[in-house]
C-alpha cells in the first residue's frame, strides 16, 4: 500500500495505491486446500421485538485451494488459485405496514373505514396543553373527493358512515393494499399504525474467484508472464415483507435487490534485460466488468394484472413490473426507481517503462501509460412510475370521482 510520495507512474491516483504481487509457480509442485464452515446453530437468536422469535440464520462457507508447479523445468511455471464463499443471512428489524385491523373490505366491495382510529387519538400533545389530542377513539373522517372537486376544494362531504361505496373504490388501489402489503404481526404504536411489523428478510450471497499466472523464460535476457483474474458474485436481498404477501417480492421499493456482477482481467508482461543496469518492461492489460441489478418484480406484468394502467410499454422490458408506491407514512411497496440497472465496462491498457540504475548513484525510470476506458451504463429513472400519496389534513386523490384506499 502506497499512501504518499508516489513515484511518477502513480501520480494520477488521488488516494492510496494498492500494489499486488501474484504468486508464481516453482520447479516443485505445491498446493493446498481449505474450508471454513459456520452453521446456523452457532448463531445467536435475533431479538423478537415482542413477536415470535425467528430462527437464527447465519450460515457461511469459505473454501478454496491453490496449486502450482513447473510446466517445463527451469523454463515454464504456473500457479492457480480458487476461492468460493457461500453465505446465508437475514435482516431483522422493526417496520410498519398498513393497519389492516382498522380497515374492513365488505363482501359487496365497499370499504368500511368507520374503525379508522386516528394515530394520535388518546395521546397527549403539547398543542393541547398536555391533554389527549384528539380524544381517544377519534375516527378519521373520509371525504368524498368528487364533492371537493365540484366546489374547487372549498367544501367537504364525508362518506356516510365513513364507508366508501363499492362503485367509488379504486380497484387498482384496493388490489395494491390486498396484494402488496402484509398484515401486522405486532400490536404497534400510535393505535396500531406504526412499528407494527417485525421484518425477517433472508439474504444470500455467492462469490467465486479464480486467479492464474503463467511464467515463461524466453531466453536469459527475456521473461514473459501472463496473469488472469476472474470473479463472479450474485446476491439476493429479499424484501421486508418476504413470504407475507400475495405477490412475492411486493415490498421491494428499492429495499430489496437481485444482483449479478463479475469481472475478468488479463495482463501480459515482457521483461527485457538490456544490460546489467538497464531493464525494459512492456505490459498489455484488458479488464471487463459487468453489473446487473433487478427489482424483485421485474419481468412479470403485475401492473396489467392488478389494474394499474399505462405502465407497461410494449418492447420496453424495463417497464414490466409494478409502480413504486409510497403511502407517505412510510408504507412502501412495488418496483424500483431505477432498476433494471446494467453496467458493462471494457478497458484496455498499454504501458512501457525503462529503468536504468547506476547513473551517478541515481536510478532513472521513465515510460508511458495508454488507456482506453469504455463504460456503458444502461438504466431508466422511474421505469414503472412513482406514486406518492399524501395530503395536508384532508383526503385527496388524483382520480376524479374515485376514493383511493
Amino acid at each position: 500500500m502506497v499512501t504518499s510520495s508516489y513515484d511518477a507512474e502513480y501520480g494520477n491516483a488521488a488516494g492510496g495505491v494498492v500494489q499486488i504481487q501474484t504468486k508464481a509457480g516453482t520447479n516443485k509442485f505445491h498446493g493446498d486446500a481449505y474450508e471454513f464452515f459456520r452453521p446456523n446453530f452457532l448463531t445467536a437468536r435475533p431479538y423478537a421485538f415482542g413477536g415470535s422469535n425467528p430462527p437464527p440464520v447465519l450460515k457461511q462457507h469459505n473454501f478454496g485451494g491453490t496449486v502450482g508447479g513447473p510446466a517445463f523445468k527451469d523454463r515454464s511455471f504456473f500457479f492457480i488459485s480458487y476461492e468460493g464463499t457461500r453465505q446465508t443471512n437475514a435482516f431483522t428489524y422493526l417496520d410498519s405496514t398498513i393497519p389492516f385491523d382498522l380497515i374492513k373490505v365488505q363482501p359487496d366491495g365497499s370499504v368500511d373505514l368507520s374503525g379508522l382510529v386516528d394515530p394520535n387519538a388518546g395521546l397527549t400533545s403539547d398543542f393541547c396543553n398536555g391533554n389527549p389530542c384528539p380524544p381517544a377513539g377519534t375516527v378519521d373522517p373520509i371525504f368524498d373527493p368528487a364533492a371537493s372537486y365540484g366546489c374547487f376544494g372549498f367544501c367537504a362531504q364525508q362518506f356516510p358512515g365513513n364507508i366508501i361505496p363499492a362503485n367509488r373504490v379504486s380497484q387498482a388501489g384496493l388490489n395494491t393494499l390486498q396484494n402488496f402489503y402484509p398484515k401486522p404481526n405486532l400490536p404497534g404504536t400510535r393505535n396500531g399504525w406504526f412499528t407494527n411489523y417485525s421484518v425477517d428478510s433472508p439474504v444470500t450471497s455467492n462469490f467465486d474467484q479464480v486467479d492464474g499466472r503463467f511464467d515463461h523464460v524466453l531466453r536469459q535476457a527475456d521473461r514473459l508472464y501472463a496473469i488472469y483474474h476472474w470473479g463472479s458474485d450474485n446476491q439476493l436481498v429479499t424484501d421486508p415483507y418476504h413470504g407475507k404477501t400475495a405477490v412475492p417480492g411486493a415490498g421491494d421499493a428499492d429495499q430489496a435487490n437481485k444482483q449479478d456482477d463479475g469481472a475478468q482481467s488479463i495482463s501480459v508482461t515482457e521483461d527485457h534485460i538490456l544490460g546489467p543496469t538497464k531493464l525494459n518492461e512492456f505490459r498489455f492489460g484488458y479488464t471487463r466488468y459487468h453489473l446487473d441489478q433487478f427489482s424483485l418484480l421485474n419481468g412479470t406484468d403485475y401492473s396489467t394484472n392488478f389494474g394499474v394502467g399505462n405502465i407497461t410499454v410494449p418492447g420496453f422490458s424495463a417497464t414490466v413490473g409494478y409502480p413504486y408506491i409510497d403511502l407517505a407514512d412510510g408504507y412502501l411497496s412495488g418496483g424500483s426507481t431505477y432498476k433494471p440497472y446494467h453496467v458493462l465496462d471494457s478497458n484496455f491498457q498499454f504501458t512501457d517503462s525503462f529503468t536504468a540504475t547506476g547513473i551517478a548513484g541515481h536510478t532513472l525510470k521513465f515510460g508511458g501509460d495508454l488507456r482506453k476506458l469504455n463504460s456503458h451504463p444502461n438504466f431508466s429513472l422511474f421505469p414503472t412510475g412513482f406514486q406518492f400519496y399524501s395530503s395536508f389534513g384532508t383526503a385527496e386523490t388524483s382520480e376524479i370521482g374515485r376514493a383511493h384506499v
Side-chain angles (χ1 to χ4, degrees), residues 122-201:
L123 303 179
T124 58
S125 171
D126 293 337
F127 294 102
C128 299
N129 299 318
N131 296 315
C133 182
T138 299
V139 173
D140 285 336
I142 304 300
F143 299 102
D144 186 342
S148 300
Y149 181 84
C151 62
F152 303 100
F154 289 98
C155 63
Q157 178 179 323
Q158 186 177 354
F159 283 111
N162 233 31
I163 299 175
I164 303 176
N167 65 346
R168 301 295 305 283
V169 173
S170 167
Q171 192 59 49
L174 186 60
N175 287 339
T176 299
L177 244 64
Q178 293 180 323
N179 295 281
F180 287 80
Y181 288 94
K183 289 182 168 54
N185 55 18
L186 294 175
T189 60
R190 294 188 174 273
N191 295 311
W193 284 77
F194 304 107
T195 59
N196 57 6
Y197 184 75
S198 177
V199 174
D200 184 23
S201 171

Side-chain angles (χ1 to χ4, degrees), residues 10-353:
Y10 306 123
N12 62 340
V17 175
V18 179
Q19 295 177 309
I20 299 175
Q21 179 67 40
T22 306
K23 190 174 181 178
T26 65
N27 269 328
K28 294 184 178 181
F29 287 99
H30 294 280
D32 59 55
Y34 65 91
E35 157 76 9
F36 168 83
F37 175 56
R38 175 174 178 167
N40 284 334
F41 65 79
L42 294 178
T43 305
R45 296 186 70 85
Y47 184 66
F49 297 108
S52 60
N53 201 324
V57 177
L58 179 53
K59 183 165 65 175
Q60 180 172 327
H61 284 273
N62 292 83
F63 51 91
T66 65
V67 61
F72 298 98
K73 188 176 180 179
D74 297 329
R75 293 293 301 272
S76 302
F77 313 92
F78 71 92
F79 186 84
I80 301 172
S81 69
Y82 166 76
E83 179 180 2
T85 301
R86 306 290 183 266
Q87 186 181 80
T88 302
N89 204 343
F91 294 149
T92 56
Y93 56 93
L94 281 178
D95 203 352
S96 301
T97 185
I98 305 296
F100 283 101
D101 291 343
L102 308 181
I103 302 171
K104 292 181 173 57
V105 180
Q106 304 297 337
D108 64 355
S110 62
V111 179
D112 184 356
L113 300 176
S114 60
L116 194 67
V117 177
D118 189 279
N120 295 313
L123 303 179
T124 58
S125 171
D126 293 337
F127 294 102
C128 299
N129 299 318
N131 296 315
C133 182
T138 299
V139 173
D140 285 336
I142 304 300
F143 299 102
D144 186 342
S148 300
Y149 181 84
C151 62
F152 303 100
F154 289 98
C155 63
Q157 178 179 323
Q158 186 177 354
F159 283 111
N162 233 31
I163 299 175
I164 303 176
N167 65 346
R168 301 295 305 283
V169 173
S170 167
Q171 192 59 49
L174 186 60
N175 287 339
T176 299
L177 244 64
Q178 293 180 323
N179 295 281
F180 287 80
Y181 288 94
K183 289 182 168 54
N185 55 18
L186 294 175
T189 60
R190 294 188 174 273
N191 295 311
W193 284 77
F194 304 107
T195 59
N196 57 6
Y197 184 75
S198 177
V199 174
D200 184 23
S201 171
V203 178
T204 58
S205 176
N206 299 316
F207 174 75
D208 295 283
Q209 180 175 316
V210 175
D211 303 287
R213 172 169 171 156
F214 181 79
D215 293 72
H216 181 66
V217 179
L218 298 172
R219 55 179 181 167
Q220 187 174 3
D222 290 278
R223 184 185 182 98
L224 180 73
Y225 55 94
I227 298 174
Y228 177 73
H229 300 287
W230 174 88
S232 177
D233 177 51
N234 63 79
Q235 300 177 11
L236 175 62
V237 180
T238 60
D239 65 305
Y241 311 151
H242 176 72
K244 300 296 191 299
T245 53
V247 172
D252 187 306
D254 289 332
Q255 302 173 100
N257 188 38
K258 181 179 180 181
Q259 175 175 313
D260 293 290
D261 63 271
Q264 54 183 325
S265 66
I266 185 170
S267 65
V268 179
T269 305
E270 198 271 339
D271 290 339
H272 179 62
I273 300 174
L274 300 171
T277 61
K278 299 178 180 64
L279 171 69
N280 188 82
E281 180 183 79
F282 172 80
R283 176 178 294 123
F284 163 77
Y286 172 73
T287 302
R288 183 181 178 89
Y289 169 77
H290 77 271
L291 169 66
D292 299 295
Q293 293 182 328
F294 299 92
S295 162
L296 302 186
L297 301 181
N298 283 142
T300 300
D301 192 2
Y302 293 111
S303 299
T304 301
N305 295 344
F306 290 104
V308 182
N310 301 317
I311 300 296
T312 303
V313 178
F316 188 20
S317 60
T319 64
V320 179
Y322 206 71
Y324 182 107
I325 307 291
D326 186 346
L327 298 186
D329 286 322
Y331 308 133
L332 303 176
S333 70
S336 173
T337 57
Y338 68 95
K339 301 170 190 173
Y341 178 82
H342 306 285
V343 174
L344 180 61
D345 293 351
S346 297
N347 303 323
F348 294 86
Q349 182 178 17
F350 301 86
T351 64
D352 191 87
S353 64

